[in-house]
C-alpha cells in the first residue's frame, strides 16, 4: 500500500481552520476552485458523513467520520466517486506560532499513480486553504 503526507501553514487559529474542514459552507468555499460550484454535507457524529461534490466538474468525495477530536484531529474513511476502494485520511491541526499547521496523512493507495494523483489534489487544496487566510 502507498501513502502520502501533505501539510501547510495557515495564518488562522486552530478553531478557524477546524471550521474550514467541518462547516459545509466553509468547506465548499475553498476545497475546490470556485468555478466547480462545490456543495458539502457534514455530520461529525461517529460514522457520520463528510461529503463534498461538484456536479459541474463531475467530482464527489464521500467519506465517513471515524471519530473527532475537535479541533485537533479529523480521521475519515475516504472514497472518491472515481475510485473503487476506500482509503484512510487523518487530518490534524496543530498550533504553530500564531498560525495552524494542517497535516494530511492519506493512506491505502493501491498504486504509485493513484498516490501521485492525490498528492497533487491535496497540495492544490491546501494551497487554496492557505491563500484563503493570507494577509
Amino acid at each position: 500500500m502507498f501513502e502520502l503526507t501533505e501539510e501547510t501553514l495557515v495564518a488562522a487559529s486552530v478553531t478557524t481552520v477546524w471550521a474550514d474542514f467541518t462547516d459545509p459552507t466553509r468547506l465548499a468555499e475553498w476545497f475546490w476552485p470556485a468555478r466547480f460550484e462545490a456543495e458539502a454535507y457534514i455530520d461529525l457524529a461517529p460514522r457520520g458523513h463528510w461529503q463534498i461534490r461538484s456536479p459541474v466538474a463531475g467530482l464527489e468525495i464521500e467519506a465517513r467520520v471515524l471519530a473527532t477530536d475537535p479541533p485537533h484531529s479529523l480521521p475519515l474513511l475516504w472514497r472518491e466517486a472515481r475510485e473503487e476502494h476506500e482509503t484512510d485520511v487523518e487530518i490534524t491541526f496543530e498550533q504553530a506560532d500564531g498560525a495552524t499547521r494542517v497535516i494530511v496523512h492519506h493512506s491505502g493507495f493501491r498504486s504509485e499513480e493513484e498516490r501521485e494523483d492525490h498528492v497533487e489534489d491535496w497540495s492544490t487544496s491546501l494551497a487554496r486553504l492557505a491563500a484563503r487566510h493570507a494577509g
Side-chain angles (χ1 to χ4, degrees), residues 9 15 33 37 39 43 56 59 65 81 97 116 120 131:
L9 196 59
T15 55
E37 301 175 16
E39 305 164 353
D43 173 6
V56 171
L59 298 171
V65 176
D97 296 326
E116 288 304 313
E120 183 177 339

Side-chain angles (χ1 to χ4, degrees), residues 33-131:
R35 71 181 182 279
F36 286 13
E37 301 175 16
E39 305 164 353
Y41 171 79
I42 298 171
D43 173 6
L44 291 178
R47 304 302 295 166
H49 292 279
W50 187 98
Q51 299 173 315
I52 187 162
R53 60 193 260 343
S54 168
V56 171
L59 298 171
E60 183 173 4
I61 297 167
E62 184 169 329
R64 287 276 181 198
V65 176
L66 298 177
T68 59
D69 180 17
H72 306 289
S73 176
L74 180 61
L76 303 166
L77 188 58
W78 186 273
R79 186 179 164 289
E80 293 189 29
R82 67 183 184 205
E83 297 172 339
E84 296 179 6
H85 65 281
E86 296 174 324
T87 52
D88 294 304
V89 172
E90 172 89 25
I91 307 166
T92 56
F93 308 87
E94 300 175 354
Q95 188 66 40
D97 296 326
T100 300
R101 182 175 318 285
V102 178
I103 303 165
V104 175
H105 184 77
H106 196 155
S107 60
F109 303 116
R110 295 182 176 169
S111 69
E112 183 69 24
E113 180 181 358
E114 182 184 10
R115 177 195 171 283
E116 288 304 313
D117 286 346
H118 286 78
V119 167
E120 183 177 339
D121 292 346
W122 279 115
S123 178
T124 57
S125 287
L126 292 175
R128 275 190 297 279
L129 176 63

